[in-house]
Amino acid sequence: MTAPWLTILWLLPAVGAVAVLAVPSNRPGIAKWLGLGVTLGVLAVSLGLAAGFDTTGTGARYQFVEDHSWIPALGTRYALGLDGIGLVLVLLTAVLLPVLVLAGWNDADHVGSLDHSGGRRQKGPHTYLALTLAVEAMVLMSFVALDILLFYIFFEAMLIPMYFLIGGFGTTVGVDRSRAAVKFLLYNLFGGLIMLAAVIGLYVVTARSGLGTGGGGTFDLRAVVDAVSSGQLDAGTGLIKLLFLGFMFAFAVKAPLWPFHSWLPDAAVAATPAGAVLMMAVVDKVGTFAMLRFCLQLFPDAARYFAPLIAALAVIGIVYGAILAIGQTDVMRLIAYTSISHFGFIILGIFALTSQGQTGSTLYMVNHGISTAALFLIAGFLVSRRGSRLIADYGGVQKIAPVLAGTFLVAGLATLSLPGLAPFISEFLVLIGTFTRYPVAAVIATSALVLSAIYVLWLYQRMMGGPATLTEGPGAATRSMRDLHGRELLVVTPLIALLLVFGVYPKPLLDLIDPAVAHTMSTIHEQDPQPAVPTDQDGGPR
């Protein structure tokens, strides 16, 4: 009997969260090291799963499967499994969490409550780390759950610790932080409420189709997907479209897809840099992952029907996010708007319904997580030195802190998908996969390459360029700015290294992704469109 590795994977950070809270309040250092140790343990388990994963694509679609009875009366099971798409996102989560713990090492030191003697209890770091580990546990469960109800529970539950991370440990003060946290929670809870209605509707459909036992329905993703693929699901076209929209709405809010995006910039600015990266690079990926796993496989016909509309919304999001980023005066808000543009690329690739598009989208999820983490965290280090998020308050940083400026430039160039850095390959695949299905959408999306170059290079020029020896102006404030130190280098170095390595050698990730994408395309009975070859009047190629 093999060990239940997927249970260990998500249970380790969940137990770690409880253990961190159990550390005495006057020992914040122990809580921090324990939290870091737990995230490194999760990383070790994830690497072990990757090492034991069959990449040939000839075996079972889901590996390391665990399947146990949970609530028989509802037809729901504790079913876990991992495919290549889930695995790369598990690895992304496991790699980023130790980095985020290090990046936010001192973020919660100022948070606490007064004890009876008037002294400040140092319980802030304990709660902060416990909430972070709770989010990690729920995200990991979402990537491995093979039961629809089980997925839904954790999909919704992760909102609660994320809400407290924004509202209780954010960088803004007073009502702005609280408003951003409430907006984040309400938007996502409303999306989850719509999805709950769709989940219940799907259960009724499976019961009517005789998929469950004892006259009931089932939430087993594999059983429902098999029934859909074989035509055994007893539901009309209109009902299937409604169920698809219920799932898709929740995932579009979480992702976020334009026009359901407005909560993201406020939440990203209100959270700490580490908290914002946890939200944008990890939590939001659950939305795009779920589009691949649930929307496409459970409702392939409805996905085809709505694909042109969703692709159009994605293209609007791509251009909209890039244009809004250009006009920002707040560096953190600028980076948040770039993520809206990048999520547009991810969703466009998914609903292009081509193997290149879906491979590119999955790879884009990973690369966006790494590049956004690098750019946002480096910007956070910069803001912590100057005490301002306004771009106009900077200048000449490259002469005073060359390592900080250099890593910021690399992260920025990755954001604009410069060839040689990781996001280029994924964006290129998305555009190729989209062009064969929706050429006009691909051409419009390509304009974001120019727009991204504008906002990244202009941002770098304003913040890092110019003189740093002025007696007045923004340059004067940077003369005493220190460069990245040891802990910050530990945060930045692995992210920059991954951007460079995957920029020239993405094969390890593609070997995991390609078989899973092929399974998805086969499950939904979709084939890549053949490129049209112009012919002359005689019927031969021109």
Side-chain angles (χ1 to χ4, degrees), residues 407-485:
T407 53
F408 187 87
L409 178 61
V410 174
L413 293 177
T415 299
L416 66 83
S417 299
L418 184 75
L421 296 173
F424 169 75
I425 300 296
S426 48
E427 193 164 298
F428 187 67
L429 283 170
V430 167
L431 290 173
I432 288 177
T434 302
F435 188 83
T436 58
R437 183 80 67 180
Y438 305 116
V440 175
V443 170
I444 297 174
T446 304
S447 66
L449 301 178
V450 178
L451 297 174
S452 62
I454 293 174
Y455 63 68
V456 168
L457 297 178
W458 193 24
L459 173 67
Y460 183 84
Q461 182 184 36
R462 288 182 289 172
M463 296 187 73
M464 306 297 168
T469 57
L470 299 177
T471 57
E472 297 179 356
T478 63
R479 286 183 297 171
S480 60
M481 184 177 290
R482 70 186 189 279
D483 212 337
L484 295 179
H485 56 72

Side-chain angles (χ1 to χ4, degrees), residues 281-326:
V282 177
V283 171
D284 290 353
K285 296 299 186 303
V286 177
T288 47
F289 164 80
M291 292 178 192
L292 276 168
R293 173 160 287 185
F294 295 96
C295 286
L296 294 191
Q297 297 187 62
L298 292 175
F299 316 106
D301 292 336
R304 292 188 194 94
Y305 180 83
F306 288 107
L309 172 61
I310 297 172
L313 295 179
V315 170
I316 293 173
I318 290 169
V319 178
Y320 171 88
I323 292 176
L324 266 290
I326 293 174

Side-chain angles (χ1 to χ4, degrees), residues 1-188:
M1 180 178 178
T2 59
W5 289 114
L6 297 186
T7 295
I8 294 171
L9 177 71
W10 75 267
L11 199 57
L12 182 57
V15 173
V18 177
V20 166
L21 288 176
V23 173
S25 60
N26 60 348
R27 294 289 187 270
I30 295 177
K32 292 177 183 180
W33 284 107
L34 177 59
L36 179 61
V38 170
T39 60
L40 291 174
V42 173
L43 177 59
V45 174
S46 302
L47 292 175
L49 291 171
F53 194 84
D54 180 10
T55 60
T56 62
T58 58
R61 174 170 188 181
Y62 297 108
Q63 301 180 35
F64 308 104
V65 172
E66 302 174 32
D67 193 349
H68 307 283
S69 179
W70 180 28
I71 311 176
L74 291 178
T76 186
R77 304 182 64 81
Y78 177 80
L80 310 179
L82 198 61
D83 65 356
I85 296 173
L87 178 57
V88 296
L89 294 175
V90 164
L91 290 171
L92 172 68
T93 304
V95 167
L96 287 183
L97 261 294
V99 171
L100 297 183
V101 170
L102 283 173
W105 196 255
N106 301 318
D107 283 352
D109 286 350
H110 65 288
V111 179
S113 58
L114 297 179
D115 59 23
H116 65 277
S117 63
R120 184 164 292 276
R121 295 172 179 161
Q122 293 299 316
K123 203 61 177 176
H126 301 64
T127 305
Y128 175 82
L129 287 166
L131 291 171
T132 301
L133 291 173
V135 171
E136 181 182 25
M138 295 175 187
V139 168
L140 290 172
M141 171 58 91
S142 298
F143 290 145
V144 301
L146 295 181
D147 184 274
I148 299 169
L149 183 61
L150 184 65
F151 169 85
Y152 173 79
I153 290 172
F154 284 87
F155 178 81
E156 286 292 277
M158 71 179 69
L159 300 176
I160 304 305
M162 198 69 237
Y163 164 79
F164 285 110
L165 283 173
I166 298 171
F169 297 90
T171 57
T172 57
V173 295
V175 68
D176 291 337
R177 187 174 66 194
S178 299
R179 184 186 298 118
V182 170
K183 189 176 182 180
F184 159 82
L185 186 62
L186 290 180
Y187 266 67
N188 284 275

Side-chain angles (χ1 to χ4, degrees), residues 187-204:
Y187 266 67
N188 284 275
L189 282 179
F190 181 69
L193 180 63
I194 300 298
M195 180 182 170
L196 177 60
V199 169
I200 295 172
L202 182 61
Y203 177 81
V204 173

